[in-house]
Amino acid sequence: MPSLPVALLFGVYLGVLTGIIPALVAWVLGFLFKYLTGVTLPGFGVVVLGVALAGVNGGLLALADPSITGSANAPTILVALLVIMMMVLYAHSKGDHLGATMPRKLSLRKLGERTLALDLIESVGSNEVRVRVTGEVADVEGYPPLPDDLRAEIRAGEWTFPADLDLPALERRLAERLTNEYDLGDVSVAIDERGRATIAAAPPFSGLSKRVESGKRAVSVDALVPTGLARGDVVTVVTADAQIRGTVLSGRSERGGGGSPSQNTPADAAEAAPETEPQLPQSVRAPTTTGGDGQVTVSVGRTDAEALLRSDWATIIVEARGTRREYALISLLRRAGKRFRRITVRAGSELTGQSLGTAGLRDRFGVVVLAARDGSGWEFDPPGTCSLDPGTELYAVGTRDALDELGEAIA
């Protein structure tokens, strides 16, 4: 008869070897019950089933069976039974947990998507996620290095996006925003599951000339600059000889220029400079002007540019653009819990080849198709005869869940 330590070790070995199949069965049962019914399978029943599967005289009653407890191998068998029960309970708990956290709607496309961590989305809000830059902003190989102030500005920024975007879509959105906001020549963005962005960027290829439309000229005029003037504002420049309409490309106020005090010349530095050395105005990278005497650069036609060049002083009148109706509409829809999404019909999908009227997207999914684009271009308010051929793009509006369901059906 082996010693007690040897018998116990042999019991552990026998329990692990015999409990693999019962543990696997317990995991499958726990997962299926939780996933399909939402009910947790009782652990006692799973243990009885697992021990019975291990082939020991009718489950837990084997612990009180005199033929086992009174045999020479009693310590080994009892330890094996305990190991099997622990393995079964552990596997059952893991299967139950997976069944509780597994999404109810799965598709191969969703399984392949990289998304933000769920706790990060919940911590920010149900509608938006926040993306921040981690580490230093790197340079793009083959391009000149970024200016230090631009690198620091990008490094300190943070951006919010809809929470239903996957990581590739977030990376594309952030790259577009960086390109548009900072006129970057090139940008590369990588975002991890924690919403941390790694960015490499190249400086703008050109400055003012990139913002001047074809056939236009950029002219700078001295004027009383309104407070809050920003690039892209439409203004009327009034001189002694003419009134000229143009688009603001940049603006600078002599008392500060734009909103970044650190970029203005300190008063003590100006007093310390020699009187014979003129103080050059400093360029300011600011979104708006602070008001006062200054200079405005506007984009105008060729003949209007000649008239502005002859003037010594001008008056700037800012034109009202009014409220953008499309933005007001989007705001109302978002308050009602609706979202926009562009979806492309995939070949072999459930609704491929059907028409909008036959598919019944409004009744079936609760979405409204605002526009559709095929080989002939975009068509707003498409008729019911519009065919859902592979490659057709749809702009649809509905709840997030409805758009997800539609995307699974056609994309």
Side-chain angles (χ1 to χ4, degrees), residues 221-277:
V221 293
D222 295 328
L224 181 63
V225 181
T227 301
L229 189 68
R231 187 173 66 191
D233 285 341
V234 178
V235 298
T236 298
V237 184
V238 181
T239 65
D241 302 327
Q243 294 186 6
I244 299 169
R245 191 169 183 266
T247 303
V248 175
L249 299 177
S250 64
R252 177 179 57 83
S253 302
E254 290 183 357
R255 68 178 186 183
S260 179
S262 63
Q263 293 174 339
N264 301 329
T265 303
D268 55 351
E271 293 175 359
E275 294 182 358
T276 57
E277 184 176 347

Side-chain angles (χ1 to χ4, degrees), residues 9-170:
L9 290 176
F10 184 71
V12 173
Y13 165 75
L14 181 62
V16 172
L17 186 64
T18 312
I20 293 177
I21 299 300
L24 179 60
V25 173
W27 182 90
V28 173
L29 289 176
F31 169 75
L32 292 178
F33 264 80
K34 193 67 175 181
Y35 183 77
L36 298 177
T37 66
V39 177
T40 299
L41 194 64
F44 179 78
V46 176
V47 168
V48 172
L49 178 62
V51 176
L53 288 175
V56 181
N57 295 337
L60 290 177
L61 295 178
L63 292 175
D65 193 331
S67 63
I68 293 179
T69 57
S71 66
N73 294 328
T76 300
I77 297 177
L78 292 177
V79 170
L81 286 172
L82 292 175
V83 171
I84 292 172
M85 286 188 288
M86 288 188 293
M87 291 178 61
V88 169
L89 283 175
Y90 179 78
H92 169 256
S93 66
K94 289 299 181 182
D96 184 80
H97 176 72
L98 181 61
T101 57
M102 180 72 71
R104 292 297 186 267
K105 296 179 180 179
L106 290 178
S107 64
L108 293 178
R109 179 174 62 86
K110 283 189 173 294
L111 289 175
E113 288 180 351
R114 294 187 302 129
T115 58
L116 288 172
L118 182 60
D119 59 340
L120 177 64
I121 297 176
E122 292 176 347
S123 66
V124 176
S126 58
N127 294 327
E128 292 182 338
V129 293
R130 187 175 295 110
V131 177
R132 297 183 177 90
V133 181
T134 181
E136 294 297 329
V137 178
D139 296 320
V140 179
E141 186 176 358
Y143 293 93
L146 277 176
D148 292 338
D149 59 340
L150 181 57
R151 191 190 307 272
E153 188 173 351
I154 296 175
R155 173 67 181 85
E158 64 177 36
W159 299 266
T160 56
F161 298 96
D164 57 348
L165 296 177
D166 58 8
L167 288 182
L170 283 176

